[in-house]
Amino acid sequence: MNKPDNHNANLQIDNLSMTFSLPDGSTVEALKNVSLNLQQGELLSVLGPSGCGKTTLLNIVAGFLAPSEGQVVLNQHPVNGPDAERGMVFQQGALFEWMNVRKNIAFGPTMKGLPEKQINQHVDELLETVGLHGFGNKHIYELSGGMQQRVALARCLANDPDVILMDEPLGALDALTREKMQSLILKLWKETGKTIILITHSVEEALLLGERLLVMAPRPGRIHKEYHLPFAQLGVDADLREVKKHPDFSKIREEILSMIWEMEEEIMGKAI
Amino acid sequence: MLILIIYITLFILAYFIYTILARQLKSKQKNSSRKTITFGDESTVTPNRVASVISIAVLFIIWAAFTGSKLLPLHVPGPFIGSTSFSYTAINAQNQTDKATVYIRVEPVGNKTKKPEVPEQQTGFAKDDAIKVGAWRSGLVRVQNNDDGGKEKNYRIIAINDQPITAKQSIAVTNGIVNMTPKGSLSFTPDKGWQMEPVWLPAPETVIERFIEIAANGYQNITLWENIGWSLLRVLAGFILGCIVGIPLGYAMGLNNWFRGWFDPIVEFMRPIPPLALIPLVIIWFGIWETGKISLLFLAALWIMIIAARAGVSGVSISKVHAAYSLGASKFQVLMHVIVPNSLPEIFTGARVALGVCWGTVVAAELVAAEKGAGKMIIAASKFQQTDVVIMGIILIGVIGYSIDILMRRAENFLVPWKGKA
Ligand SMILES: Nc1ncnc2c1ncn2[C@@H]1O[C@H](COP(=O)(O)OP(=O)(O)OP(=O)(O)O)[C@@H](O)[C@H]1O
Ligand SMILES: [Mg+2]
């Protein structure tokens, strides 16, 4: 599955394993021998049944967790902890509600100590980009869930990271808002050319957004299958609803759905 | 007991009157809520402001009614005031009986009036008597003193108003009770009525007058504002010291294993000890004067603020901290820009509790010893039985405590508007 051209790879995930020990003495293999290479500008979506280690994988890449084995290498240097080069978008609740929208977006550059004028200009641009023009002085709690996620995206982009990591970024949104946000993510991806890893529970979302799609399997958490898909490229310019009418779309969706169903059934069987 | 029954009756009465009135007005009102289930839905229960107003009014009405206040036309029956009399029958050493009258005047305590007049012409060996009794008090009347042969051994009083009496017995007469002491003397207790004696509970207007007087002239050469100011100053000093030490310590306990382990047993042990229980030790260590009081208030605020700051740190959602690190923040920046602001709501809650506790503690400490202060004022007044000053002081202490809380809530709304909205 690995691409042979490892050398100019942007993000390199090498043979990661993660074993948690539980208080009762037993252990959980959240990840086992996961390897993956991402080129600059690739958008990878990750699917898998609950508990297959998606969040664990993302947290290791973000630098919040140190793997039991293996390593993550970004631009030839190993990842040892969180850094502004790897931005994170959380499902919800990670915005700073004691700051208004502007200050949230400006957080990264402010921490770096960039000149205020430059920050302000950048924030204005980003507000425009994510469609929040005129909302800069609102408080976070005055915004809807969809708007909050736009702020989260803008805050991440303000730092100009090399890689953007998203853990179910649209999971808390309603279906319609979600569709709009999916278009926005595609637009931002194309405009900024960022490398993106996006975890989702929605097969449709994974298909629409993932240029590459990873299906993971649980116990131990591992890569089950990888797809290379055309839908993300199509969706950049087209209506996502049109993309869904693509003849391959429903075929692959059904294939992945039954794959995940099988895994879930297997887990249930094991549990019983 | 009686007051409780009256209170409950007024509670129920006010409720029914209000419900009937509200029902008649309702047709004109808009329906603000279309909820059909209200019983058990706590969110539909809001304090009925009418009830709050009536509640305060009822308290004052009961207070006024039971103290014979001039502010209220209707009172419960007061103590008997005026002239009354009863007759007694005595038997002398010669086994003769004779009857005489005791004239009584009942006056409020402190009124300087003379005893009632006694008729000049007296027949028989028993002679009429006159006494003056203060309302709510009782008066001893040694009727035998002016009777012929009253000092002789077999002289006895055998009846009151023709009803036989012996030692330690009581007989009801008009406007009072006559009691015979074990030695055979008589004492008269006028009817007390239902009202409270001013020494027990002064009327509201007395308290207001006293407030105006003390606000203008001070009490025992110390102005009211000086008394209150000193109390507030002590609270502020203790509270601020408690914050200066407690908040950083709480943060350290929330951020560092060693600090958490080191201070956990101390905090958990000290927390349940009421600050008042520390007064004796504080007196031994620091004396009761300013150092002692401020140390006490410092201790009262300290544990509360430590726990509030620690809870504030543990209340930070991990994704916010992760987000900040991913945005390139350093540890110090995470502390200053994420942990501190995120813990402010908790710290404010703690500060409100701490100020309340400090206010209560300072008053108590001033009761023990102080030269100036709200607590000192009321304890000094209580030594002179100046109940009106005591009550005025208690009301003032309550009002100030409440004001502090409201002020803190305002500050909280202003400084942490995001509280409870995350
Ligand atoms: N800190 C931890 N301590 C112990 N076990 C953990 C810890 N974090 C994760 N796990 C275990 O590791 C496995 C993978 O968890 P992870 O959160 O990565 O799954 P996930 O695929 O993100 O699931 P979901 O789709 O529900 O978010 C699970 O079995 C989980 O119980
Ligand atoms: Mg997860």
Side-chain angles (χ1 to χ4, degrees), chain A residues 68-90:
Chain A
S68 321
E69 273 170 52
Q71 63 171 353
V72 177
V73 177
L74 177 62
N75 298 330
Q76 275 78 52
H77 65 86
V79 163
N80 297 321
D83 191 283
E85 67 188 8
R86 279 160 283 122
M88 190 87 183
V89 177
F90 294 86

Side-chain angles (χ1 to χ4, degrees), chain A residues 64 83 93 95 97-98 111 159, chain B residues 320 326-327 333 337 341-342:
Chain A
F64 303 144
D83 191 283
L95 292 173
E97 57 266 7
W98 49 92
M111 292 303 110
N159 242 0
Chain B
K320 287 192 177 77
S326 288
L327 290 165
Q333 284 172 327
H337 296 280
N342 195 81

Side-chain angles (χ1 to χ4, degrees), chain B residues 284-344:
Chain B
I284 294 171
W285 283 358
F286 303 106
I288 193 55
W289 305 111
E290 290 322 318
T291 338
K293 280 199 208 69
I294 291 172
S295 312
L296 186 70
L297 296 174
F298 163 73
L299 289 176
L302 180 67
W303 316 117
I304 299 174
M305 293 317 294
I306 290 180
I307 289 162
R310 191 182 66 184
V313 178
S314 43
V316 181
S317 79
I318 188 62
S319 55
K320 287 192 177 77
V321 174
H322 278 174
Y325 278 117
S326 288
L327 290 165
S330 65
K331 278 185 186 175
F332 183 71
Q333 284 172 327
V334 168
L335 175 67
M336 296 312 291
H337 296 280
V338 180
I339 292 170
V340 169
N342 195 81
S343 62
L344 281 183

Side-chain angles (χ1 to χ4, degrees), chain B residues 70-362:
Chain B
K70 293 189 204 86
L71 302 175
L72 203 71
L74 259 136
H75 302 131
V76 296
F80 171 73
I81 304 277
S83 300
T84 185
S85 63
F86 64 88
S87 68
Y88 69 92
T89 313
I91 186 162
N92 67 2
Q94 287 76 42
N95 246 358
Q96 295 168 313
T97 61
D98 191 19
K99 216 163 129 179
T101 309
V102 179
Y103 297 93
I104 304 155
R105 180 166 293 154
V106 184
E107 293 279 350
V109 178
N111 270 20
K112 295 212 166 19
T113 45
K114 286 190 185 142
K115 289 182 183 177
E117 303 269 309
V118 176
E120 298 265 326
Q121 295 294 315
Q122 300 270 334
T123 54
F125 68 89
K127 303 283 190 282
D128 290 353
D129 297 86
I131 55 162
K132 210 185 90 180
V133 183
W136 286 293
R137 304 288 147 85
S138 52
L140 205 61
V141 43
R142 294 196 177 79
V143 292
Q144 63 273 39
N145 280 9
N146 63 349
D147 289 2
D148 296 334
K151 300 270 162 59
E152 284 167 31
K153 204 182 166 203
N154 286 332
Y155 175 95
R156 274 179 300 129
I157 294 159
I158 53 168
I160 300 295
N161 283 356
D162 298 325
Q163 286 170 267
I165 191 168
T166 54
K168 295 191 214 169
Q169 266 189 339
S170 311
I171 284 181
V173 299
T174 11
N175 301 321
I177 290 172
V178 173
N179 193 34
M180 191 181 252
T181 64
K183 285 184 176 167
S185 296
L186 296 180
S187 84
F188 176 75
T189 310
D191 285 337
K192 288 192 169 74
W194 290 358
Q195 289 182 12
M196 301 273 188
E197 204 178 338
V199 177
W200 283 42
L201 181 66
E205 69 265 20
T206 327
V207 175
I208 295 168
E209 275 164 28
R210 196 46 49 103
F211 171 71
I212 294 167
E213 183 198 320
I214 291 179
N217 305 330
Y219 182 72
Q220 294 182 346
N221 296 325
I222 300 167
T223 66
L224 184 61
W225 316 119
E226 232 179 311
N227 275 324
I228 293 171
W230 270 99
S231 300
L232 283 173
L233 212 67
R234 289 172 185 137
V235 166
L236 222 58
F239 170 72
I240 288 173
L241 283 175
C243 286
I244 289 174
V245 178
I247 294 174
L249 209 56
Y251 281 144
M253 285 179 72
L255 295 168
N256 182 285
N257 291 335
W258 187 256
F259 272 95
R260 167 78 60 104
W262 189 280
F263 289 106
D264 236 3
I266 301 175
V267 171
E268 294 306 327
F269 178 76
M270 290 303 291
R271 174 162 80 154
I273 299 176
L276 296 184
L278 299 174
I279 289 183
L281 192 63
V282 167
I283 292 178
I284 294 171
W285 283 358
F286 303 106
I288 193 55
W289 305 111
E290 290 322 318
T291 338
K293 280 199 208 69
I294 291 172
S295 312
L296 186 70
L297 296 174
F298 163 73
L299 289 176
L302 180 67
W303 316 117
I304 299 174
M305 293 317 294
I306 290 180
I307 289 162
R310 191 182 66 184
V313 178
S314 43
V316 181
S317 79
I318 188 62
S319 55
K320 287 192 177 77
V321 174
H322 278 174
Y325 278 117
S326 288
L327 290 165
S330 65
K331 278 185 186 175
F332 183 71
Q333 284 172 327
V334 168
L335 175 67
M336 296 312 291
H337 296 280
V338 180
I339 292 170
V340 169
N342 195 81
S343 62
L344 281 183
E346 288 278 359
I347 292 201
F348 256 96
T349 310
R352 262 176 63 192
V353 175
L355 273 174
V357 170
C358 280
W359 181 242
T361 309
V362 80

Side-chain angles (χ1 to χ4, degrees), chain A residues 3 37-44 189 193-197 211-212 226 228:
Chain A
K3 287 193 173 184
N37 285 325
L38 276 178
Q39 308 283 339
Q40 166 75 44
E42 276 189 316
L43 202 174
L44 173 80
W189 169 58
K194 300 283 178 210
T195 311
I196 300 178
I197 302 180
E211 195 187 17
R212 290 170 65 183
E226 188 181 341
H228 288 259

